[in-house]
Amino acid sequence: MLPDSEVSVCTLLPDVLGTYSDGGNARVLCSRLRWRGIPARQVTCTVDQQPPTSCDIYLLGGGEDTSQLFATEWLRQHPQLCNTLADRSLTLAVCAGMQILGVSMADVHGREHVGVGLLNITTTPRRRRATGEVVSRSAEVGLLTGFENHRGATELGDDVRPLAHVLSGVGNGDGRFGRRATDGVRTDHIIATYMHGPVLARNPALADHILASVTGSSLTEIDLPDQRALRESYLAGSASQTMRGGKRG
Amino acid sequence: MSGLSRRVGLGGGSIIGGRVTMALDPDALRSLATRRQVVLVTGTNGKTTTSHMVAAALRSLGLVAHNASGSNMADGALAALTDALDAEWAVLEVDELHLAGVASATDPAAMVILNLTRDQLDRAAEVRRTAAAIARAVVAHPQTTVFANADDPMVVWAASEAVRPVWVGAGSVWRSDTVGCPSCGRSLTESATGWHCECGLTRPSPSWWLEDDIAHGPGVSSRLALSLPGQFNLGNALMALAASVTAGVEPEAAIAKISALSRVAGRYARIQYGRHTLRLLLAKNPAGWAATIAMLDGSRPVVVAVNAREADGRDTSWLWDVEFERLVGRVVAASGERAADLGVRLSYAGIPHVTNTDPLAALAEFLEGEVDVVANYTAFHSLYRRLERAG
């Protein structure tokens, strides 16, 4: 995109998804653009609206089981939007937002539901709910911190890269003996994670990674008060991993 | 027993006393509750305030056992009954997820259901599931009179099977968790007469309602001039009035008792601390904040204190559903054990602030005078204890 042009950030279905404060992610992205003098436009698209198909960034939040199936159906009814998500824009999909973009997901009763099919992942219910802090490491942006609250075990297809490897917490729930669990998914056009809202407030490097790939330019640093203290408090338990050579939190 | 827990410094005393008795005798709550008229008060916000209002009004009928400190699980209920063996009445605020258990042990004469929104998502995974748990308690007690907020769709759904419902138009300040119909998931339609859904779930016509600050009910039409601030507390007062008048309290007496209440377990208290006068407010979730922001005084500085202990919910993401943008232009301090999470949220709301994990130390930055202090559950209680000690 051109250096001076506006970046548009669209929150999809805040009236259906977004139970876990995911709306904050849009605010974080837009603020970080404006603080750098880049115009930002925050858009929301509710169930009864025709979705815009030319936004730069789309956000899909988490939600309850019934909301999730409703959102899947809505997306399938808007194929043009799905095309944009597949290969033109950059999408941040959180928790249920990630699951519904997959090939399929099963509800707590074991019934399988077809997903939107933009990600080669399948989700089945975990025996126990995964609730708590997650720390993970992404090759691109370093240590990530977030809170997870879900019952999904997400299996990635062979061609799919995770967003990060889990240092503590459950994430995709695919950890095996001798193998770290992964969290989320990373493709050229979709970043997905189980770290619910607002993951970008805790991880400004991830927010700026999204913004840099959309604007195509490197961005100036922003030193936000309290940000360092926030990250240190959540990453304290993972200090040893940090010292073993990951990027600094 | 509670004397012992106070002496060994384990806290307020009521919880430990209750836990020990429960361990000794699981049927203790049942036997302590027999031959009493029990009123249970539940809902996401307003439990403590409303139960204080009901207890104050019922005292004109006799002795009342009441878990006044806000210990609202089975052990808190037990401690309250143990502390007042002669009381014929009991008013117990009960955590939403413990309502079914406490109700089955106490066979309540009445349940008061205030509102249901998101509180601690890491504990009560979904609001609907909480509503379903309350619905089971309602169904299991057909003899119980159920006072339910007609303006809250989630409450109406939870109370829809009540055999003896009394619908109260107590208002609803925050509807963001009930965007869809609790019963079928469709969008709710709002109209002049309230809300409804195609599936048939509709705001019941209330037998108690507010017209500005006038409370209307069967044979009642009286102004509520509360000592407590805010529209939200008018709703709580109406719920309390409906329950206590139905229980047999004269309306004028009930209104007088409810209106006289000026502080509730430290909430709304005005406390002098050094060169500042603090007004203490408790808000622990987005709906509670929506009610509280409306009570904040225009130009006063605000200290916000946030913890994330077990009782608060470990997850601080709810801060992003609070409209802190409405504090723009005020002097604000971010405080509590999660001051950094709050500080980041305030920066994104465009609010310059000081950050200090200690709310009383944060005051040093403020000019002398009145300060509003808003804290969530454990932050509030630790602050209140310190202020009480400071005298």
Side-chain angles (χ1 to χ4, degrees):
Chain A
M1 64 176 275
L2 298 169
D4 289 338
S5 60
E6 182 182 71
V7 175
S8 49
V9 179
C10 178
T11 306
L12 290 171
L13 303 181
D15 50 341
V16 177
L17 300 171
T19 312
Y20 301 91
S21 308
D22 297 308
N25 286 326
R27 198 174 333 218
V28 170
L29 290 172
C30 290
S31 295
R32 298 184 78 79
L33 286 164
R34 290 181 191 131
W35 288 338
R36 292 170 167 122
I38 303 169
R41 189 160 57 96
Q42 199 175 332
V43 185
T44 58
C45 176
T46 53
V47 171
D48 48 359
Q49 290 175 314
Q50 191 61 31
T53 55
S54 60
C55 290
D56 301 295
I57 299 172
Y58 287 89
L59 302 173
L60 269 172
E64 301 181 2
D65 301 341
T66 44
S67 318
Q68 190 172 351
L69 299 179
F70 189 90
T72 309
E73 195 48 41
W74 184 88
L75 280 167
R76 289 159 62 84
Q77 283 163 9
H78 294 93
Q80 273 188 311
L81 172 64
C82 292
N83 290 341
T84 299
L85 301 185
D87 49 36
R88 285 209 300 280
S89 58
L90 186 61
T91 298
L92 175 68
V94 172
C95 200
M98 165 169 78
Q99 296 175 2
I100 65 177
L101 294 184
V103 175
S104 71
M105 60 225 157
D107 62 25
V108 285
H109 309 292
R111 274 193 300 267
E112 192 174 293
H113 301 275
V114 178
V116 181
L118 300 182
L119 295 172
N120 182 17
I121 60 173
T122 54
T123 301
T124 49
R126 282 171 56 77
R127 205 167 349 191
R128 303 189 60 174
R129 200 167 183 89
T131 303
E133 290 294 329
V134 185
V135 176
S136 66
R137 189 201 309 282
S138 139
E140 285 153 311
V141 296
L143 287 176
L144 297 172
T145 156
F147 197 94
E148 65 182 334
N149 186 353
H150 61 97
R151 271 197 71 176
T154 296
E155 200 64 43
L156 310 190
D158 290 338
D159 58 331
V160 182
R161 268 190 305 153
L163 171 65
H165 286 90
V166 173
L167 303 181
S168 61
V170 173
N172 292 336
D174 54 355
R176 304 279 180 275
F177 185 77
R179 193 183 95 184
R180 276 202 193 289
T182 63
D183 176 56
V185 177
R186 174 73 175 110
T187 71
D188 287 344
H189 291 279
I190 298 171
I191 292 176
T193 178
Y194 269 115
M195 297 184 181
H196 75 63
V199 61
L200 300 183
R202 286 210 196 175
N203 301 287
L206 182 60
D208 287 350
H209 177 76
I210 290 171
L211 294 176
S213 44
V214 167
T215 58
S217 55
S218 66
L219 300 166
T220 52
E221 290 287 315
I222 291 172
D223 190 15
L224 205 62
D226 308 313
Q227 184 82 68
R228 183 183 300 267
L230 180 154
R231 287 185 61 76
E232 278 172 1
S233 70
Y234 287 112
L235 295 175
S238 307
S240 54
Q241 280 96 344
T242 317
M243 283 160 65
R244 264 187 254 126
K247 278 194 190 179
R248 279 294 305 275
Chain B
M1 199 112 33
S2 54
L4 174 68
S5 86
R6 271 193 290 269
R7 274 198 299 281
V8 297
L10 289 173
S14 62
I15 301 257
I16 297 295
R19 273 196 193 130
V20 173
T21 317
M22 286 288 259
L24 295 177
D25 178 5
D27 285 330
L29 186 55
R30 191 180 307 279
S31 59
L32 277 166
T34 41
R35 289 189 296 281
R36 303 205 212 212
Q37 305 248 40
V38 177
V39 179
L40 303 182
V41 179
T42 197
T44 311
N45 288 305
K47 290 187 286 289
T48 303
T49 299
T50 308
S51 72
H52 273 257
M53 289 171 165
V54 176
L58 289 184
R59 282 198 188 96
S60 49
L61 299 179
L63 291 176
V64 179
H66 176 210
N67 51 350
S69 68
S71 307
N72 62 19
M73 303 191 189
D75 44 8
L78 192 80
L81 296 179
T82 310
D83 282 351
L85 291 172
D86 296 336
E88 180 195 342
W89 295 87
V91 178
L92 302 171
E93 76 158 273
V94 186
D95 178 88
E96 304 86 279
L97 294 180
H98 290 78
L99 180 71
V102 173
S104 99
T106 59
D107 190 19
M111 292 185 205
V112 179
I113 310 172
L114 300 168
N115 48 64
L116 288 170
T117 61
R118 182 167 15 143
D119 185 12
Q120 301 162 17
L121 268 182
D122 61 329
R123 188 165 62 90
E126 294 177 3
V127 187
R128 262 192 201 98
R129 207 177 301 166
T130 308
I134 290 178
R136 282 193 294 278
V138 166
V139 168
H141 296 87
Q143 300 299 316
T144 302
T145 306
V146 177
F147 297 87
N149 185 353
D151 292 321
D152 187 315
M154 205 57 90
V155 169
V156 170
W157 183 61
S160 54
E161 301 290 321
V163 177
R164 301 177 174 199
V166 175
W167 300 108
V168 183
S172 152
V173 285
W174 205 76
R175 194 66 80 65
S176 304
D177 283 333
T178 324
V179 281
C181 171
S183 178
C184 71
R186 287 192 190 90
S187 294
L188 291 172
T189 311
E190 301 279 347
S191 68
T193 54
W195 51 270
H196 68 273
C197 178
E198 295 176 38
C199 76
L201 193 74
T202 303
R203 176 181 186 262
S205 173
S207 48
W208 292 81
W209 71 98
L210 287 166
E211 188 183 354
D212 299 322
D213 57 354
I214 311 283
H216 295 281
V220 176
S221 231
S222 302
R223 185 174 302 278
L224 295 176
L226 302 187
S227 306
L228 298 180
Q231 184 65 35
F232 179 63
N233 281 324
L234 273 177
N236 291 335
L238 186 70
M239 296 292 290
L241 186 63
S244 44
V245 168
T246 308
V249 183
E250 286 297 323
E252 303 76 50
I255 289 171
K257 296 288 188 189
I258 289 168
S259 305
L261 205 65
S262 63
R263 55 194 276 175
V264 176
R267 300 157 200 208
Y268 312 103
R270 301 173 72 87
I271 296 179
Q272 190 68 33
Y273 181 78
R275 55 200 179 90
H276 297 108
T277 307
L278 311 182
R279 185 171 65 141
L280 304 185
L281 299 163
L282 187 146
K284 51 191 169 70
N285 50 44
W289 261 96
T292 302
I293 277 190
M295 297 174 195
L296 297 180
D297 196 307
S299 55
R300 278 186 205 155
V302 188
V303 178
V304 181
V306 173
N307 286 358
R309 298 188 187 190
E310 191 68 38
D312 302 305
R314 298 284 184 190
D315 176 12
T316 57
S317 68
W318 61 274
L319 293 172
W320 287 81
D321 283 333
V322 175
E323 251 193 286
F324 286 112
E325 285 75 4
R326 288 176 62 180
L327 300 180
V328 167
R330 292 180 207 231
V331 177
V332 179
S335 190
E337 291 161 0
R338 284 286 162 213
D341 297 56
L342 176 63
V344 167
R345 170 70 186 95
L346 291 175
S347 291
Y348 280 107
I351 298 172
H353 56 275
V354 295
T355 306
N356 192 322
T357 51
D358 179 346
L360 295 180
L363 287 170
E365 309 277 343
F366 292 177
L367 297 175
E368 65 179 20
E370 305 213 306
V371 177
D372 282 330
V373 181
V374 189
N376 71 341
Y377 195 74
T378 68
F380 185 94
H381 288 289
S382 77
L383 175 63
Y384 187 55
R385 274 198 302 276
R386 284 173 69 193
L387 289 168
E388 277 188 318
R389 276 201 298 272

